[in-house]
Amino acid sequence: MESAKNNGLARCHECGLVCRFQPNSQCPRCDAKLHLRQPHSIQKTWAYLITACIFLIPANFMPITLLVSQGKATPDTIMSGVYALIDEGSTGIAIIVFVASILVPLAKIVGIMIILVSIHFRLKISHKLRLLMFKFIDWIGRWSMLDLFVISIMVAVIDKGQLLVIVPGPAATAFALVVLLTLLAAKNFDTRLMWDMEEDNDWTN
């Protein structure tokens, strides 16, 4: 089965219209420049992933919450919070927080990196398997915000004035950036590149 690309058709990245592609042509509906594939898709995806990896370090090792009790601040990282939940007998919640806050962001980064490396080095991996992996990564990424949701609930509920206050730590900002950057990485990756890897055409055209 021939692809739209081989038939000289391109989908406008602005309005979605499928039209005949020619070099330097424009969409007849919105006048946007037409591209067979998203311009610089792989480069943008790598840039977002590398930046996410940088922010992943402070997100996991800096305090994500600060418990202020009678003027004394007690910092908690993601892992120390997981250990605290286990010590209190809330093992189920601890597992959910661990999966959503550590495993999911890490799995997204590693998964997209595997796809990019397989395309770059033309590794013999099933295109359908890569596509299913990417769809799973894109779907599971929405659960990465669970930890920030828990923090917002704790800040709203556990606030007793000067006696007991929970405030977000610096890792909360870093973690939010990791989630945002991985979402942007997935959004900027053109999945059609997985089906084009055997062709010699320039992916960024």
Side-chain angles (χ1 to χ4, degrees):
M1 181 181 295
E2 292 189 1
S3 64
K5 177 181 177 181
N6 293 332
N7 287 319
L9 299 175
R11 179 180 178 272
C12 177
H13 296 296
E14 297 295 331
C15 68
L17 179 67
V18 176
C19 46
R20 184 66 59 182
F21 174 81
Q22 293 180 352
N24 299 320
S25 58
Q26 293 180 319
C27 174
R29 183 192 306 186
C30 66
D31 293 330
K33 186 177 180 180
L34 292 177
H35 302 276
L36 289 175
R37 298 295 180 258
Q38 292 186 27
H40 311 295
S41 173
I42 291 182
Q43 294 91 328
K44 290 178 182 178
T45 305
W46 271 118
Y48 285 125
L49 282 181
I50 293 172
T51 309
C53 289
I54 294 173
F55 281 106
L56 194 62
I57 297 173
N60 283 280
F61 292 99
M62 294 183 70
I64 196 166
T65 58
L66 294 171
L67 176 62
V68 182
S69 178
Q70 297 180 350
K72 182 180 179 181
T74 304
D76 266 320
T77 62
I78 295 177
M79 281 306 302
S80 66
V82 171
Y83 292 142
L85 288 170
I86 294 175
D87 292 338
E88 293 175 2
S90 302
T91 306
I93 298 177
I95 293 174
I96 293 174
V97 172
F98 176 77
V99 171
S101 304
I102 296 180
L103 288 187
V104 169
L106 188 60
K108 284 190 66 176
I109 293 174
V110 173
I112 297 177
M113 281 185 176
I114 290 174
I115 293 174
L116 291 177
V117 170
S118 69
I119 292 175
H120 183 77
F121 292 101
R122 301 181 182 275
L123 301 180
K124 293 184 178 180
I125 302 177
S126 169
H127 301 318
K128 290 184 178 180
L129 178 61
R130 268 193 295 253
L131 185 60
L132 289 174
M133 182 189 303
F134 181 81
K135 287 185 175 181
F136 179 74
I137 290 170
D138 190 45
W139 173 80
I140 201 173
R142 69 192 67 179
W143 298 100
S144 300
M145 294 299 293
L146 179 62
D147 201 48
L148 296 179
F149 179 69
V150 172
I151 293 174
S152 63
I153 292 177
M154 292 173 65
V155 171
V157 174
I158 309 177
D159 188 350
K160 305 298 182 182
Q162 299 298 321
L163 298 178
L164 183 62
V165 180
I166 290 183
V167 295
T173 302
F175 185 80
L177 288 173
V178 170
V179 174
L180 177 61
L181 289 166
T182 52
L183 289 174
L184 288 173
K187 180 177 176 61
N188 280 271
F189 178 69
D190 194 336
T191 56
R192 293 171 296 183
L193 295 175
M194 293 185 285
W195 305 93
D196 293 343
M197 60 175 296
E198 299 300 330
E199 298 181 8
D200 294 326
N201 295 333
D202 186 356
W203 289 337
T204 60
N205 288 339

